[in-house]
């Protein structure tokens, strides 16, 4: 009988811990989803704008316009964007993967204890 009571209290304690952890996960995840959604909408609007502007351009004019629009969004000059794109095109898949993983790790929020 005492074993059953002890199991019940352990179960209740674990249930409270699980609820607390799920609440913490939800509190951290929901703002991220909100930010991602708003950023995705901004990105879609940007792509729609570029597609509308570039509808009847030649291939060379299209590339020039895309680079100009990206430069405007990133607030830099077109030559720098072109240099970055050239550099990216020379990278191997493994190098790109390493850069992305490094960027993900470096931008993770730190939890103050």
């Amino acid at each position: 009988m005492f074993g059953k009571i002890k199991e019940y209290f352990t179960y209740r304690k674990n249930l409270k811990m699980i609820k607390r952890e799920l609440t913490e996960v939800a509190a951290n995840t929901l703002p991220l989803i909100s930010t991602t959604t708003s950023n995705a909408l901004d990105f879609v609007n940007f792509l729609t704008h570029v597609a509308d502007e570039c509808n009847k351009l030649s291939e060379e004019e299209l590339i020039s316009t895309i680079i100009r629009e990206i430069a405007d969004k990133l607030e830099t000059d077109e030559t720098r964007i072109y240099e970055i794109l050239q550099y990216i095109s020379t990278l191997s898949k493994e190098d790109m993967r390493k850069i992305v993983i490094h960027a993900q790790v470096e931008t993770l929020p730190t939890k103050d204890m």
Side-chain angles (χ1 to χ4, degrees):
M1 172 122 170
F2 288 115
K4 293 274 186 188
I5 293 172
K6 185 177 177 181
E7 284 179 22
Y8 175 74
F9 284 126
T10 303
Y11 167 78
R12 296 282 294 176
K13 182 177 126 185
N14 291 340
L15 186 62
K16 286 181 185 179
M17 286 176 24
I18 289 171
K19 285 181 182 178
R20 197 174 314 122
E21 290 296 321
L22 286 175
T23 304
E24 185 177 331
V25 167
N28 291 327
T29 305
L30 292 177
L32 176 65
I33 291 171
S34 174
T35 303
T36 303
T37 303
S38 67
N39 288 343
L41 289 174
D42 289 343
F43 185 68
V44 168
N45 289 335
F46 168 69
L47 288 179
T48 303
H49 171 71
V50 170
D52 289 342
E53 291 294 321
C54 301
N55 199 15
K56 297 186 179 188
L57 298 177
S58 68
E59 185 176 319
E60 190 173 300
E61 291 173 324
L62 176 65
I63 292 172
S64 170
T65 304
I66 289 173
I67 290 175
R68 193 175 335 105
E69 288 290 331
I70 292 172
D72 289 345
K73 287 295 180 185
L74 297 177
E75 297 176 355
T76 186
D77 61 346
E78 290 104 20
T79 56
R80 182 68 181 139
I81 294 292
Y82 187 70
E83 290 170 3
I84 292 169
L85 292 175
Q86 279 184 326
Y87 172 73
I88 289 172
S89 68
T90 62
L91 293 174
S92 68
K93 289 182 181 181
E94 184 63 27
D95 290 338
M96 287 184 205
R97 189 181 69 77
K98 287 177 184 177
I99 291 170
V100 169
I101 290 172
H102 177 73
Q104 289 173 339
V105 169
E106 289 297 316
T107 58
L108 285 175
T110 58
K111 191 173 185 180
D112 296 330
M113 297 271 173

